[in-house]
């Protein structure tokens, strides 16, 4: 008899295993776009004050030290820069409408001395910039005519004003000037820099009845930089239409009102000499400037898309008609300038234009088809290895001359929060620096996600190059701006030094030095991938970690639903 098979159910049996997350690499950088449970093992939600320099290790970043002995006040500094002239280097720093020259060993010196004829104060609210070439450095604040210095403590106005009073002329008998009608004008000159003013506004005419010479008395300039007077002349009777250089003389007497210098013109052999300058106009109240192709370039203080430039090899001559109107769209205006080789990049808020110059005489303006965004302010751009970093409303990009590459994908929620919540005035002050000794791009921002306070975004380029993905971290440093020592430094160890100023104080700090943090503790935080829990209740068995003992404290803290469950200190 056949047997019938039967099927019987049984209870399932499965081995009890715990869900684990192996994190053997913690220095891959931030990823704010994914939920904590979807993070890769080498990415993090929080990486405050950590260094990503060594793959496989998550170390606390280098500390910082106070550079200024005293705090000038509670307001934010207006700007600073390391200056490199042909034979000297020094630091300039602006705070409270005054400009300081801190010594290289630290501190903040007294207000720099401004020479006779220079403005005595600068704007107390505008940002201040310090463009320079090999000869002199200038101070641009957008409210006053720039002043300049060749490296000493004496400062004078940039450019020389033309004379407004005519000379006094009288004829004398000894000389070879013919019996003709002559016209004379004069310019003021700084022989040290070789710069002249425009020809005087009032010309002097004198007719000689017989052969002889002309005796001129010319009013002295009140500008302390003027040390010579140049006379230009033409023979009206002979049909000359251009005034040409006739003679020059060292300015005699003082710069006080009523003082004058005398000069005698005895010959009219000036037909091949230089014409009188008429385009040596002084600069306007420009907000900032850059040096490129043997000229200085600066945006107009009123017409937002107008870019002025100087005469060739004459950085103090700003001809009235030497400007380019950049064809920005949507009411945009110039926000930043930076030179890269044969190209000057002109940034607006949402667009980039390129001024291409094969020589110093011809320029071509082109829109950049590959650039995706502009820059939020003059300090939001920086040269970095093979490109230009620019921070815009849309994010952080690197421009290689043709196209943009988006760098802030992993911190996009934080950048979006910054642009939506911070004021336009604060966003315009975002500063960027490439700190080349550490291969770090540092961006000071007025609002750092998720802490909603001043801080920095830091991009480690070495880690980025190795992984192929931008490796970001952040700091809680309240930085207002950077001063990078990136030029010819004769003192060993000075090249690569980075100074910063506080966002709410008049004090300088030296960055990336030692293990201290201005004599206070530096707290570094890390939050990595989370466990995915399908139930409402979970039990954590253990946490295993490996660390290298150094000074300081190490704490493991468990947070559930944003509520701390207490920390465990490891000695």
């Amino acid at each position: 008899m056949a047997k019938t098979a039967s099927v019987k159910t049984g209870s399932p049996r499965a081995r009890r295993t715990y869900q684990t997350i192996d994190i053997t690499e913690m220095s891959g950088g931030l990823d704010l776009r994914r939920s904590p449970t979807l993070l890769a093992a080498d990415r993090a939600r929080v990486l405050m004050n950590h260094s990503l320099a060594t793959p496989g290790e998550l170390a606390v970043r280098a500390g910082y030290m106070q550079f200024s002995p005293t705090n000038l006040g509670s307001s934010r500094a207006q700007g600073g820069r390391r200056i490199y002239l042909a034979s000297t280097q020094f630091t300039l720093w602006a705070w409270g409408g005054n400009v300081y020259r801190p010594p290289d060993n630290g501190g903040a010196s007294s207000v720099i001395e401004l020479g006779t004829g220079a403005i005595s104060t600068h704007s107390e609210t505008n940002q201040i910039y310090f463009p320079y070439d090999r000869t002199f450095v200038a101070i641009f604040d957008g409210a006053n005519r720039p002043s300049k210095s060749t490296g000493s403590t004496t400062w004078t106005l940039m450019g020389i004003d033309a004379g407004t009073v005519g000379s006094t002329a009288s004829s004398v008998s000894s000389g070879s000037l013919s019996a003709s009608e002559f016209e004379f004008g004069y310019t003021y000159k700084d022989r040290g820099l070789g710069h002249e003013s425009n020809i005087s506004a009032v010309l002097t005419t004198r007719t000689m009845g017989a052969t002889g010479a002309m005796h001129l008395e010319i009013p002295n300039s009140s500008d302390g930089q003027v040390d010579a007077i140049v006379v230009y002349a033409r023979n009206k009777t002979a049909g000359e239409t251009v005034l040409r250089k006739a003679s020059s003389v060292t300015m005699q007497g003082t710069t006080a009102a009523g003082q004058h210098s005398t000069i005698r013109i005895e010959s009219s052999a000036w037909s091949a000499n230089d014409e009188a300058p008429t385009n040596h106009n002084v600069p306007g109240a420009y907000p900032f400037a850059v040096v490129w192709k043997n000229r200085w370039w600066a945006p107009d203080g009123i017409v937002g898309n107008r870019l002025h430039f100087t005469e060739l090899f004459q950085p103090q001559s700003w001809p009235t008609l030497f400007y380019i109107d950049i064809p920005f769209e949507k009411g945009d205006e110039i926000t930043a300038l930076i030179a890269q080789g044969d190209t000057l990049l002109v940034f607006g808020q949402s667009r980039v234009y390129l001024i291409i110059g094969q020589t110093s005489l011809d320029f071509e303006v082109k829109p950049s088809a590959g650039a995706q965004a502009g820059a939020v302010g003059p300090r939001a751009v920086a040269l970095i290895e093979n490109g230009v970093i620019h921070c815009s409303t849309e994010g952080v990009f690197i421009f290689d001359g043709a196209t943009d590459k988006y760098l802030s994908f992993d911190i996009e929620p934080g950048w979006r929060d910054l642009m939506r919540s911070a004021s336009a005035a604060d966003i315009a002050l975002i500063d960027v620096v490439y700190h080349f000794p550490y291969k770090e791009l540092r961006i000071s921002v007025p609002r750092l996600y998720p802490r909603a306070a001043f801080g920095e975004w830091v991009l480690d380029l070495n880690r980025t190059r190795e992984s192929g993905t931008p490796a970001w971290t952040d700091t809680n440093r309240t930085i207002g701006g950077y001063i990078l020592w990136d030029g010819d430094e004769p003192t060993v160890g000075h090249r690569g030094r980075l100074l910063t100023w506080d966002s709410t104080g008049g004090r300088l700090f030296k960055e990336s030095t030692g293990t201290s943090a201005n004599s206070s503790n530096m707290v570094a935080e890390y939050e990595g991938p989370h466990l995915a829990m399908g139930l409402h209740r979970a039990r954590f068995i253990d946490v295993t970690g490996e660390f290298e003992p150094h000074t300081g404290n190490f704490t493991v803290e468990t947070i559930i639903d944003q509520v701390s469950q207490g920390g465990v200190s490891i000695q």
Side-chain angles (χ1 to χ4, degrees):
M1 183 177 178
K3 294 185 180 179
T4 305
S6 62
V7 178
K8 199 160 110 178
T9 61
S11 59
R13 291 181 173 83
R15 180 178 299 175
R16 293 179 176 271
T17 59
Y18 298 111
Q19 182 181 357
T20 62
I21 299 179
D22 291 329
I23 303 176
T24 58
E25 165 65 287
M26 307 167 75
S27 60
L30 287 167
D31 187 351
L32 304 181
R33 291 181 55 85
R34 290 173 173 81
S35 66
T37 58
L38 295 180
L39 281 178
D42 63 339
R43 311 291 270 178
R45 291 280 295 179
V46 177
L47 272 178
M48 186 181 75
N49 292 330
H50 281 294
S51 170
L52 309 182
T54 306
E57 295 182 5
L58 188 62
V60 179
R61 67 182 297 105
Y64 60 94
M65 295 178 62
Q66 180 178 299
F67 192 74
S68 303
T70 58
N71 191 355
L72 298 176
S74 59
S75 61
R76 180 175 182 163
Q78 298 168 271
R81 191 173 186 183
R82 185 67 172 174
I83 310 302
Y84 298 95
L85 305 183
S87 58
T88 185
Q89 53 283 320
F90 52 92
T91 301
L92 292 179
W93 182 51
W95 182 90
N98 298 319
V99 177
Y100 296 84
R101 182 169 169 169
D104 287 356
N105 60 351
S109 66
S110 59
V111 182
I112 59 174
E113 177 186 353
L114 296 177
T116 303
I119 53 179
S120 58
T121 59
H122 302 280
S123 171
E124 296 183 10
T125 56
N126 292 356
Q127 290 295 290
I128 293 179
Y129 299 87
F130 302 98
Y132 65 89
D133 56 18
R134 288 185 58 84
T135 306
F136 66 83
V137 58
I139 301 174
F140 282 64
D141 67 357
N144 301 281
R145 177 173 159 188
S147 52
K148 71 178 191 307
S149 175
T150 57
S152 66
T153 57
T154 300
W155 289 72
T156 55
L157 288 175
M158 189 174 183
I160 301 176
D161 290 303
T164 58
V165 179
S167 60
T168 301
S170 60
S171 58
V172 293
S173 58
S174 60
S176 60
L177 284 181
S178 59
S180 302
E181 182 182 11
F182 294 93
E183 188 174 60
F184 298 94
Y186 63 90
T187 64
Y188 295 126
K189 185 174 182 177
D190 175 5
R191 284 177 170 168
L193 293 176
H195 179 67
E196 284 184 62
S197 70
N198 279 332
I199 193 167
S200 57
V202 179
L203 303 178
T204 302
T205 301
R206 179 80 178 185
T207 301
M208 296 185 60
T211 302
M214 192 69 68
H215 177 82
L216 300 176
E217 294 185 355
I218 301 172
N220 286 351
S221 171
S222 61
D223 192 339
Q225 65 184 308
V226 175
D227 55 9
I229 295 176
V230 183
V231 175
Y232 292 84
R234 71 183 179 105
N235 188 332
K236 297 178 68 175
T237 302
E240 295 179 359
T241 58
V242 176
L243 286 94
R244 296 186 179 275
K245 182 177 179 180
S247 185
S248 64
V249 64
T250 300
M251 195 171 72
Q252 305 153 8
T254 67
T255 59
Q259 295 289 308
H260 65 268
S261 299
T262 61
I263 188 170
R264 178 171 292 189
I265 308 298
E266 298 179 340
S267 171
S268 60
W270 54 62
S271 59
N273 292 345
D274 295 335
E275 295 184 17
T278 58
N279 65 349
H280 290 191
N281 302 72
V282 300
Y286 303 135
F288 58 92
V290 298
V291 179
W292 178 67
K293 288 292 182 179
N294 303 308
R295 303 176 191 263
W296 285 48
W297 302 73
D300 191 274
I302 300 175
V303 183
N305 68 325
R306 180 163 295 177
L307 183 63
H308 295 267
F309 56 95
T310 65
E311 184 64 85
L312 182 63
F313 296 117
Q314 296 185 34
Q316 299 189 70
S317 299
W318 298 78
T320 304
L321 298 180
F322 278 32
Y323 65 83
I324 299 172
D325 285 338
I326 307 299
F328 283 123
E329 302 171 355
K330 302 176 183 178
D332 213 344
E333 59 185 21
I334 299 172
T335 58
L337 300 169
I338 192 166
Q340 185 186 35
D342 288 334
T343 305
L344 177 65
L345 280 70
V346 184
F347 290 89
Q349 286 283 353
S350 56
R351 193 75 183 271
V352 181
Y353 274 83
L354 310 179
I355 301 180
I356 302 173
Q358 297 296 330
T359 69
S360 299
L361 299 175
D362 60 322
F363 305 102
E364 184 178 3
V365 180
K366 289 185 175 181
S368 174
Q372 302 177 40
V376 295
R379 294 192 176 101
V381 295
L383 287 173
I384 178 171
E385 297 184 353
N386 296 323
V388 174
I389 294 292
H390 57 109
C391 298
S392 68
T393 304
E394 294 83 351
V396 182
F397 297 84
I398 181 170
F399 183 71
D400 62 4
T403 59
D404 260 340
K405 180 181 178 181
Y406 188 44
L407 297 178
S408 55
F409 179 80
D410 292 324
I411 61 170
E412 183 178 343
W415 199 263
R416 191 185 310 122
D417 173 74
L418 166 67
M419 293 302 160
R420 288 178 176 177
S421 304
S423 68
D426 284 342
I427 290 175
L429 299 183
I430 288 176
D431 201 347
V432 180
V433 68
Y434 172 47
H435 196 199
F436 56 86
Y438 291 83
K439 296 299 183 289
E440 286 183 339
L441 176 73
R442 301 177 63 166
I443 306 174
S444 67
V445 293
R447 180 182 173 93
L448 188 70
Y449 180 86
R451 295 185 287 275
F454 267 92
E456 283 183 301
W457 293 113
V458 181
L459 177 64
D460 189 292
L461 295 187
N462 280 341
R463 194 69 177 85
T464 298
R465 187 178 292 109
E466 289 186 4
S467 65
T469 302
W472 290 94
T473 181
D474 62 49
T475 79
N476 61 350
R477 296 281 287 112
T478 57
I479 291 176
Y482 304 97
I483 302 175
L484 179 62
W485 297 25
D486 59 349
D488 182 15
E489 294 286 350
T491 303
V492 176
H494 278 189
R495 180 170 170 81
R497 174 184 285 184
L498 181 64
L499 301 183
T500 61
W501 64 83
D502 196 87
S503 60
T504 56
R507 175 174 283 165
L508 289 172
F509 295 90
K510 184 168 67 172
E511 297 291 317
S512 301
T513 176
T515 57
S516 65
N518 197 33
S519 302
S520 62
N521 293 329
M522 176 178 282
V523 178
E525 296 182 6
Y526 163 82
E527 180 184 340
H530 293 199
L531 293 170
M533 295 173 288
L535 302 176
H536 296 289
R537 181 182 303 172
R539 181 167 56 173
F540 295 88
I541 303 301
D542 60 71
V543 175
T544 303
E546 179 182 339
F547 69 99
E548 180 180 357
H550 281 287
T551 58
N553 299 321
F554 187 78
T555 302
V556 177
E557 181 182 14
T558 303
I559 298 176
I560 299 177
D561 294 335
Q562 305 302 316
V563 177
S564 175
Q565 305 302 305
V568 178
S569 295
I570 301 175
Q571 300 300 320

